[in-house]
mmCIF file of all heavy atoms in Angstrom:
data_model
loop_
_atom_site.group_PDB
_atom_site.id
_atom_site.type_symbol
_atom_site.label_atom_id
_atom_site.label_comp_id
_atom_site.label_asym_id
_atom_site.label_seq_id
_atom_site.Cartn_x
_atom_site.Cartn_y
_atom_site.Cartn_z
ATOM 1 N N GLU A 134 62.599 97.106 38.152
ATOM 2 C CA GLU A 134 61.172 97.148 38.371
ATOM 3 C C GLU A 134 60.718 98.587 38.367
ATOM 4 O O GLU A 134 61.491 99.495 38.561
ATOM 5 C CB GLU A 134 60.732 96.449 39.636
ATOM 6 C CG GLU A 134 61.322 97.042 40.907
ATOM 7 C CD GLU A 134 60.963 96.249 42.130
ATOM 8 O OE1 GLU A 134 60.300 95.193 42.038
ATOM 9 O OE2 GLU A 134 61.306 96.690 43.230
ATOM 10 N N CYS A 135 59.425 98.754 38.067
ATOM 11 C CA CYS A 135 58.820 100.079 38.001
ATOM 12 C C CYS A 135 57.405 99.985 38.489
ATOM 13 O O CYS A 135 56.678 99.059 38.127
ATOM 14 C CB CYS A 135 58.882 100.619 36.579
ATOM 15 S SG CYS A 135 58.153 102.237 36.366
ATOM 16 N N GLU A 136 56.988 100.939 39.325
ATOM 17 C CA GLU A 136 55.607 100.954 39.859
ATOM 18 C C GLU A 136 55.038 102.325 39.689
ATOM 19 O O GLU A 136 55.722 103.381 39.998
ATOM 20 C CB GLU A 136 55.667 100.617 41.358
ATOM 21 C CG GLU A 136 54.321 100.518 41.989
ATOM 22 C CD GLU A 136 54.472 100.185 43.477
ATOM 23 O OE1 GLU A 136 55.161 99.210 43.788
ATOM 24 O OE2 GLU A 136 53.852 100.892 44.254
ATOM 25 N N VAL A 137 53.829 102.423 39.132
ATOM 26 C CA VAL A 137 53.156 103.675 38.914
ATOM 27 C C VAL A 137 51.741 103.543 39.480
ATOM 28 O O VAL A 137 51.015 102.630 39.160
ATOM 29 C CB VAL A 137 53.072 104.059 37.422
ATOM 30 C CG1 VAL A 137 52.251 105.351 37.249
ATOM 31 C CG2 VAL A 137 54.443 104.186 36.798
ATOM 32 N N THR A 138 51.370 104.490 40.371
ATOM 33 C CA THR A 138 50.057 104.498 40.955
ATOM 34 C C THR A 138 49.248 105.722 40.392
ATOM 35 O O THR A 138 49.642 106.851 40.641
ATOM 36 C CB THR A 138 50.112 104.518 42.469
ATOM 37 O OG1 THR A 138 50.839 103.400 42.927
ATOM 38 C CG2 THR A 138 48.688 104.450 43.094
ATOM 39 N N THR A 139 48.196 105.415 39.703
ATOM 40 C CA THR A 139 47.197 106.432 39.308
ATOM 41 C C THR A 139 45.895 105.992 39.897
ATOM 42 O O THR A 139 45.799 105.964 41.149
ATOM 43 C CB THR A 139 47.172 106.540 37.712
ATOM 44 O OG1 THR A 139 46.820 105.265 37.185
ATOM 45 C CG2 THR A 139 48.492 107.030 37.173
ATOM 46 N N PHE A 140 44.908 105.631 39.113
ATOM 47 C CA PHE A 140 43.658 105.109 39.641
ATOM 48 C C PHE A 140 43.797 103.668 40.167
ATOM 49 O O PHE A 140 42.998 103.169 40.926
ATOM 50 C CB PHE A 140 42.487 105.253 38.664
ATOM 51 C CG PHE A 140 42.616 104.356 37.437
ATOM 52 C CD1 PHE A 140 41.899 103.168 37.398
ATOM 53 C CD2 PHE A 140 43.454 104.722 36.407
ATOM 54 C CE1 PHE A 140 42.014 102.346 36.305
ATOM 55 C CE2 PHE A 140 43.560 103.870 35.303
ATOM 56 C CZ PHE A 140 42.834 102.690 35.245
ATOM 57 N N VAL A 141 44.841 102.981 39.659
ATOM 58 C CA VAL A 141 45.246 101.667 40.158
ATOM 59 C C VAL A 141 46.750 101.683 40.173
ATOM 60 O O VAL A 141 47.392 102.579 39.619
ATOM 61 C CB VAL A 141 44.747 100.477 39.304
ATOM 62 C CG1 VAL A 141 43.180 100.386 39.393
ATOM 63 C CG2 VAL A 141 45.207 100.526 37.912
ATOM 64 N N THR A 142 47.373 100.641 40.682
ATOM 65 C CA THR A 142 48.838 100.520 40.643
ATOM 66 C C THR A 142 49.276 99.636 39.494
ATOM 67 O O THR A 142 48.734 98.513 39.388
ATOM 68 C CB THR A 142 49.383 99.985 42.003
ATOM 69 O OG1 THR A 142 48.993 100.888 43.038
ATOM 70 C CG2 THR A 142 50.885 99.832 41.990
ATOM 71 N N PHE A 143 50.143 100.119 38.681
ATOM 72 C CA PHE A 143 50.703 99.377 37.596
ATOM 73 C C PHE A 143 52.123 98.994 37.957
ATOM 74 O O PHE A 143 52.879 99.794 38.501
ATOM 75 C CB PHE A 143 50.773 100.224 36.279
ATOM 76 C CG PHE A 143 49.406 100.723 35.834
ATOM 77 C CD1 PHE A 143 48.906 101.951 36.279
ATOM 78 C CD2 PHE A 143 48.680 99.899 34.976
ATOM 79 C CE1 PHE A 143 47.644 102.329 35.745
ATOM 80 C CE2 PHE A 143 47.426 100.328 34.499
ATOM 81 C CZ PHE A 143 46.901 101.581 34.923
ATOM 82 N N TYR A 144 52.466 97.748 37.682
ATOM 83 C CA TYR A 144 53.784 97.204 38.008
ATOM 84 C C TYR A 144 54.449 96.632 36.748
ATOM 85 O O TYR A 144 53.771 95.931 36.018
ATOM 86 C CB TYR A 144 53.677 96.156 39.057
ATOM 87 C CG TYR A 144 55.000 95.483 39.401
ATOM 88 C CD1 TYR A 144 55.920 96.094 40.199
ATOM 89 C CD2 TYR A 144 55.340 94.269 38.763
ATOM 90 C CE1 TYR A 144 57.160 95.519 40.515
ATOM 91 C CE2 TYR A 144 56.574 93.707 39.024
ATOM 92 C CZ TYR A 144 57.468 94.320 39.905
ATOM 93 O OH TYR A 144 58.709 93.722 40.104
ATOM 94 N N ALA A 145 55.698 96.973 36.568
ATOM 95 C CA ALA A 145 56.447 96.356 35.437
ATOM 96 C C ALA A 145 57.723 95.764 36.017
ATOM 97 O O ALA A 145 58.530 96.442 36.596
ATOM 98 C CB ALA A 145 56.804 97.472 34.417
ATOM 99 N N GLY A 146 57.813 94.448 35.883
ATOM 100 C CA GLY A 146 59.059 93.736 36.187
ATOM 101 C C GLY A 146 59.998 93.963 35.029
ATOM 102 O O GLY A 146 59.559 93.972 33.889
ATOM 103 N N GLY A 147 61.306 94.081 35.273
ATOM 104 C CA GLY A 147 62.212 94.373 34.196
ATOM 105 C C GLY A 147 62.767 93.228 33.414
ATOM 106 O O GLY A 147 63.414 93.439 32.392
ATOM 107 N N LYS A 148 62.452 91.997 33.755
ATOM 108 C CA LYS A 148 62.972 90.841 33.021
ATOM 109 C C LYS A 148 62.313 90.738 31.661
ATOM 110 O O LYS A 148 61.115 90.707 31.574
ATOM 111 C CB LYS A 148 62.723 89.567 33.806
ATOM 112 C CG LYS A 148 63.331 88.341 33.138
ATOM 113 C CD LYS A 148 63.099 87.101 33.969
ATOM 114 C CE LYS A 148 63.720 85.903 33.376
ATOM 115 N NZ LYS A 148 62.809 85.230 32.409
ATOM 116 N N LEU A 149 63.166 90.721 30.625
ATOM 117 C CA LEU A 149 62.653 90.565 29.262
ATOM 118 C C LEU A 149 62.230 89.108 29.048
ATOM 119 O O LEU A 149 62.833 88.167 29.563
ATOM 120 C CB LEU A 149 63.764 90.890 28.241
ATOM 121 C CG LEU A 149 64.055 92.381 28.084
ATOM 122 C CD1 LEU A 149 65.352 92.571 27.292
ATOM 123 C CD2 LEU A 149 62.889 93.080 27.403
ATOM 124 N N HIS A 150 61.245 88.933 28.197
ATOM 125 C CA HIS A 150 60.730 87.562 27.880
ATOM 126 C C HIS A 150 61.027 87.405 26.357
ATOM 127 O O HIS A 150 60.207 87.794 25.542
ATOM 128 C CB HIS A 150 59.259 87.478 28.150
ATOM 129 C CG HIS A 150 58.976 87.571 29.640
ATOM 130 N ND1 HIS A 150 59.188 86.576 30.508
ATOM 131 C CD2 HIS A 150 58.526 88.641 30.361
ATOM 132 C CE1 HIS A 150 58.869 86.942 31.715
ATOM 133 N NE2 HIS A 150 58.479 88.227 31.664
ATOM 134 N N PRO A 151 62.153 86.789 25.991
ATOM 135 C CA PRO A 151 62.540 86.678 24.607
ATOM 136 C C PRO A 151 61.515 85.879 23.745
ATOM 137 O O PRO A 151 61.425 86.109 22.528
ATOM 138 C CB PRO A 151 63.854 85.966 24.648
ATOM 139 C CG PRO A 151 64.023 85.419 26.046
ATOM 140 C CD PRO A 151 63.048 86.159 26.924
ATOM 141 N N GLU A 152 60.784 85.001 24.330
ATOM 142 C CA GLU A 152 59.816 84.222 23.488
ATOM 143 C C GLU A 152 58.678 85.128 22.912
ATOM 144 O O GLU A 152 58.017 84.723 21.974
ATOM 145 C CB GLU A 152 59.181 83.090 24.348
ATOM 146 C CG GLU A 152 58.320 83.522 25.499
ATOM 147 C CD GLU A 152 59.066 83.906 26.790
ATOM 148 O OE1 GLU A 152 60.286 83.822 26.818
ATOM 149 O OE2 GLU A 152 58.379 84.302 27.729
ATOM 150 N N TRP A 153 58.510 86.285 23.475
ATOM 151 C CA TRP A 153 57.455 87.224 22.996
ATOM 152 C C TRP A 153 57.897 87.837 21.665
ATOM 153 O O TRP A 153 57.057 88.196 20.829
ATOM 154 C CB TRP A 153 57.189 88.330 24.032
ATOM 155 C CG TRP A 153 56.093 89.188 23.671
ATOM 156 C CD1 TRP A 153 54.754 88.954 23.865
ATOM 157 C CD2 TRP A 153 56.161 90.466 23.012
ATOM 158 N NE1 TRP A 153 53.985 90.046 23.382
ATOM 159 C CE2 TRP A 153 54.856 90.964 22.850
ATOM 160 C CE3 TRP A 153 57.231 91.231 22.550
ATOM 161 C CZ2 TRP A 153 54.606 92.189 22.218
ATOM 162 C CZ3 TRP A 153 56.958 92.451 21.966
ATOM 163 C CH2 TRP A 153 55.683 92.937 21.827
ATOM 164 N N PHE A 154 59.211 88.008 21.440
ATOM 165 C CA PHE A 154 59.696 88.701 20.264
ATOM 166 C C PHE A 154 59.726 87.745 19.087
ATOM 167 O O PHE A 154 59.835 86.544 19.185
ATOM 168 C CB PHE A 154 61.126 89.233 20.547
ATOM 169 C CG PHE A 154 61.183 90.266 21.574
ATOM 170 C CD1 PHE A 154 61.381 89.931 22.929
ATOM 171 C CD2 PHE A 154 61.037 91.589 21.277
ATOM 172 C CE1 PHE A 154 61.402 90.942 23.887
ATOM 173 C CE2 PHE A 154 61.051 92.574 22.243
ATOM 174 C CZ PHE A 154 61.243 92.202 23.569
ATOM 175 N N ASP A 155 59.569 88.338 17.875
ATOM 176 C CA ASP A 155 59.657 87.570 16.613
ATOM 177 C C ASP A 155 61.136 87.101 16.379
ATOM 178 O O ASP A 155 62.057 87.746 16.858
ATOM 179 C CB ASP A 155 59.240 88.453 15.428
ATOM 180 C CG ASP A 155 57.744 88.829 15.483
ATOM 181 O OD1 ASP A 155 57.021 88.056 16.004
ATOM 182 O OD2 ASP A 155 57.463 89.921 15.004
ATOM 183 N N THR A 156 61.290 86.065 15.677
ATOM 184 C CA THR A 156 62.606 85.522 15.349
ATOM 185 C C THR A 156 63.457 86.635 14.674
ATOM 186 O O THR A 156 62.941 87.259 13.727
ATOM 187 C CB THR A 156 62.545 84.324 14.462
ATOM 188 O OG1 THR A 156 61.710 83.330 15.095
ATOM 189 C CG2 THR A 156 63.900 83.720 14.150
ATOM 190 N N GLY A 157 64.627 86.846 15.142
ATOM 191 C CA GLY A 157 65.489 87.871 14.584
ATOM 192 C C GLY A 157 65.266 89.234 15.059
ATOM 193 O O GLY A 157 66.081 90.151 14.787
ATOM 194 N N GLU A 158 64.217 89.476 15.837
ATOM 195 C CA GLU A 158 63.925 90.795 16.369
ATOM 196 C C GLU A 158 64.865 91.061 17.536
ATOM 197 O O GLU A 158 64.991 90.176 18.449
ATOM 198 C CB GLU A 158 62.456 90.864 16.864
ATOM 199 C CG GLU A 158 62.027 92.248 17.279
ATOM 200 C CD GLU A 158 60.523 92.301 17.620
ATOM 201 O OE1 GLU A 158 59.857 91.275 17.610
ATOM 202 O OE2 GLU A 158 60.078 93.394 17.930
ATOM 203 N N SER A 159 65.413 92.219 17.628
ATOM 204 C CA SER A 159 66.402 92.530 18.690
ATOM 205 C C SER A 159 65.579 92.845 19.953
ATOM 206 O O SER A 159 64.653 93.675 19.920
ATOM 207 C CB SER A 159 67.245 93.762 18.297
ATOM 208 O OG SER A 159 68.012 94.138 19.353
#
């Protein structure tokens, strides 16, 4: 996970979502 606070707080969870990627894309 990653959290960055500037004018708001941004959060990134580290789990990849394979359905987002195109077929065959690494």
Side-chain angles (χ1 to χ4, degrees):
E134 61 184 5
C135 180
E136 182 181 311
V137 176
T138 303
T139 57
F140 68 99
V141 296
T142 298
F143 298 92
Y144 174 81
K148 182 179 182 273
L149 285 168
H150 296 282
E152 66 277 1
W153 186 83
F154 295 91
D155 294 330
T156 304
E158 187 177 3
S159 175

